[in-house]
Amino acid sequence: MQKSGVYLGPRLRRLRKDLGLTQANMASEIGISPSYIALMERNQRPVTAEVLLRLAKTYTIELSSLMEDKDPSLVDRLKATMKDPIFADIEISPIEIADLLSNFPGFADAMLRLYTAYRSEQFALADLQQVAGSRGNVDGQTDPVASVRVFLAAHRNCFPQLDSAAETMALEVSHAGGLVAFLKHRHGLSVRRLPHDVMMGSVRRLDRHRREILLDDGLDVASQNFQLAQQLAYLEVNDEIQKTLEGANLVCEDARHLAHRALAGYFGAAVSMPYAQFAKAAESKRYDVEAISRQFNTSFEQTAHRLTTLQKPGQEHIPFFFIRVDNAGNVSKRLDSANFPFARHGGGCPLWSLHQVFTSPRTVVTQWLELPDGQRFFSIARTVSSGGGAYASARVTRAVALVCEARHSERMVYYDSNIAPVYTPIGISCRLCHRATCLSRSEPPIGRSILADAFRRAEAPFGFSD
């Protein structure tokens, strides 16, 4: 008569492989036949209490570790995978997912690997399409702007060595009485403001012969301070910036110039908004961008940009994604401190309020967002302006957005606990979004076949085969 026991085939097989044993090795060590090991691993025989005790004694393991339920992280990953709209027409219950992990863990692992590869290939295809249509494709090289974005994202838009140097510099600037006085004392440079037409298209110029920094007098105070702080970066930490760029995988010389400018701007912002002081203000003011701006005499955009950099190891704060677009939807700045899915292609969904704030200038608009895979985020968006400063001077208005994971929203002043979140379903881009019924879709997603509409015209712009 067959002894009673439990069926632990996949877990027994995993234990054996983790120990680096063959079926014959394990059989010899616990005193049973190799064929019986094979039967137990295929769930054709139960693992009896006697065998469990032998396993525990021989390999010094807790029985609970062999009996415990499936890895909760694998359960969550598989559930998230099955939420992808590409599986929307397949009904898979949580019980089936649990059974799959319990009885066929190898197949579950294979499924997760394939899905990860599939998502990577989707992004790669979108990258190729973006590069092919990019005006920045120079001599067969990838767009230098995209290359710099990848470089900044790899560092989570945080450069602690520059932050540390900037904090020291900010103290020296403060003791000197401000940037103008510091530049005069330290570098013998005077600051001179000139009319826009005299500057001939420049907003800042270093005149080494006359020992002057020339600024467009149409710049507001925040922009003037930033330009002086950025010039200070070229004077003080140019070698440090070059050292930071040594290991950067930038595609061309244009990309290196842009990356150098980005790091000089980073240092300039860090001088105006020193890390520790700025982070303390961000937390105490609950990430109220306008209130923080007033404290540091910076613009809304400068402050929002700086909030993406607060990821110094051991001193991390809310990780944000930042994006800036014009009213035609062109992305002119994209910064990421948390590897958000928006980082490479995000910003093109018309359902995002980022593209609607042009109708309510300088008003902060909040929105709850949900991506096709179920990830949820909280967004604030507002218009910002540059240029102008005098009658008939050209002015550019853009929209900027700060985005964080929904779980961080309670730490922000924009969160209202009295209002239940209502999530807007958006996509990273139409090419990567498989929501078949979206009325705002501008192009079909990668990998879906379009149905002819000779007999039926769908409400959505495209109809897809199942």
Side-chain angles (χ1 to χ4, degrees):
M1 183 175 179
Q2 183 173 301
K3 296 180 181 179
S4 62
V6 290
Y7 290 90
L8 301 173
R11 298 179 208 178
L12 179 61
R13 180 167 58 249
R14 179 160 292 180
L15 171 66
R16 177 175 60 77
K17 290 185 176 181
D18 288 345
L19 293 170
L21 302 174
T22 65
Q23 290 180 342
N25 295 148
M26 178 174 275
S28 174
E29 291 176 358
I30 65 174
I32 59 176
S33 68
S35 60
Y36 194 73
I37 291 284
L39 290 170
M40 287 191 295
E41 287 189 352
R42 292 198 296 269
N43 273 343
Q44 294 176 346
R45 291 290 187 276
V47 180
T48 64
E50 181 182 357
V51 171
L52 281 172
L53 290 172
R54 291 186 189 183
L55 288 168
K57 182 177 179 180
T58 304
Y59 302 116
T60 319
I61 60 172
E62 294 289 336
L63 288 179
S64 59
S65 67
L66 192 59
M67 300 290 292
E68 66 185 1
D69 204 355
K70 46 269 167 199
D71 185 349
S73 64
L74 286 177
V75 175
D76 292 339
R77 285 179 61 198
L78 200 53
K79 284 181 178 178
T81 295
M82 298 314 298
K83 286 181 180 178
D84 192 297
I86 200 170
F87 303 123
D89 57 340
I90 303 174
E91 293 185 9
I92 299 181
S93 69
I95 293 176
E96 288 177 290
I97 291 176
D99 287 344
L100 177 65
L101 285 167
S102 294
N103 298 313
F104 308 100
F107 185 86
D109 282 345
M111 174 71 180
L112 289 172
R113 289 185 192 180
L114 283 171
Y115 181 75
T116 300
Y118 157 76
R119 293 290 291 171
S120 296
E121 286 300 311
Q122 278 203 313
F123 281 117
L125 284 169
D127 279 338
L128 288 173
Q129 184 188 40
Q130 184 179 24
V131 170
S134 172
R135 292 185 294 109
N137 195 315
V138 181
D139 297 329
Q141 300 277 15
T142 304
D143 182 354
V145 174
S147 179
V148 174
R149 285 175 180 165
V150 170
F151 163 69
L152 294 175
H155 289 267
R156 300 184 68 190
N157 196 35
C158 182
F159 299 88
Q161 70 280 13
L162 293 181
D163 276 311
S164 297
E167 285 190 295
T168 301
M169 188 64 60
L171 283 174
E172 295 181 20
V173 168
S174 177
H175 292 155
L179 282 165
V180 174
F182 180 82
L183 285 163
K184 183 65 176 177
H185 171 74
R186 179 91 154 225
H187 297 281
L189 294 169
S190 299
V191 176
R192 187 178 175 200
R193 296 169 179 82
L194 295 175
H196 179 75
D197 57 342
V198 177
M199 291 295 290
M200 300 180 63
S202 298
V203 293
R204 182 195 77 242
R205 186 163 64 86
L206 176 61
D207 187 334
R208 292 187 179 276
H209 177 68
R210 292 187 174 86
R211 306 298 298 167
E212 290 180 333
I213 298 176
L214 308 178
L215 294 177
D216 185 333
D217 67 2
L219 296 175
D220 57 29
V221 174
S223 297
Q224 288 183 25
N225 288 338
F226 175 77
Q227 290 300 328
L228 291 177
Q230 188 175 35
Q231 184 66 69
L232 191 60
Y234 292 114
L235 296 169
E236 294 279 349
V237 294
N238 208 52
D239 290 343
E240 185 69 34
I241 290 174
Q242 294 286 12
K243 189 181 301 182
T244 303
L245 292 174
E246 283 177 3
N249 184 25
L250 297 166
V251 297
C252 58
E253 195 61 24
D254 285 346
R256 294 191 66 82
H257 290 320
L258 290 175
H260 194 287
R261 185 174 73 180
L263 293 185
Y266 183 102
F267 179 84
V271 169
S272 301
M273 297 168 276
Y275 193 97
Q277 186 183 353
F278 184 79
K280 182 179 179 181
E283 291 289 349
S284 65
K285 297 182 185 301
R286 300 188 62 216
Y287 296 87
D288 186 333
V289 181
E290 291 165 309
I292 301 169
S293 300
R294 284 192 291 272
Q295 177 174 333
F296 290 91
N297 201 19
T298 51
S299 70
F300 187 95
E301 180 179 342
Q302 289 169 353
T303 307
H305 184 155
R306 182 62 170 149
L307 285 171
T308 69
T309 69
L310 299 183
Q311 298 302 310
K312 185 184 287 188
Q315 302 177 50
E316 297 93 342
H317 297 270
I318 295 179
F320 284 105
F321 169 76
F322 173 95
I323 189 170
R324 185 181 71 188
V325 301
D326 62 22
N327 55 7
N330 299 305
V331 177
S332 53
K333 188 183 289 186
R334 184 185 279 125
L335 300 162
D336 182 31
S337 64
N339 297 318
F340 285 143
F342 299 97
R344 292 167 69 179
H345 307 288
C349 183
L351 301 178
W352 190 358
S353 62
L354 169 68
H355 302 283
Q356 300 155 18
V357 294
F358 292 99
T359 61
S360 53
R362 302 181 68 81
T363 299
V364 175
V365 177
T366 65
Q367 188 180 26
W368 299 92
L369 307 172
E370 183 174 60
L371 292 182
D373 63 1
Q375 293 186 79
R376 290 180 165 182
F377 300 93
F378 182 69
S379 161
I380 67 166
R382 204 199 83 162
T383 59
V384 296
S385 298
S386 61
Y391 179 72
S393 296
R395 179 181 295 273
V396 177
T397 299
R398 301 183 180 94
V400 299
L402 267 183
V403 186
C404 67
E405 291 183 68
R407 62 191 176 93
H408 296 302
S409 60
E410 294 183 12
R411 295 167 60 185
M412 302 175 69
V413 71
Y414 309 102
Y415 174 81
D416 189 342
S417 60
N418 296 315
I419 301 177
V422 176
Y423 289 90
T424 301
I426 72 165
I428 296 174
S429 74
C430 287
R431 296 290 285 169
L432 300 176
C433 179
H434 286 266
R435 288 192 174 101
T437 59
C438 179
L439 301 182
S440 300
R441 178 177 292 283
S442 61
E443 54 185 351
I446 295 171
R448 295 298 296 271
S449 299
I450 299 175
L451 288 177
D453 60 357
F455 299 100
R456 176 181 176 272
R457 178 65 166 86
E459 183 181 21
F462 304 96
F464 307 110
S465 59
D466 293 332

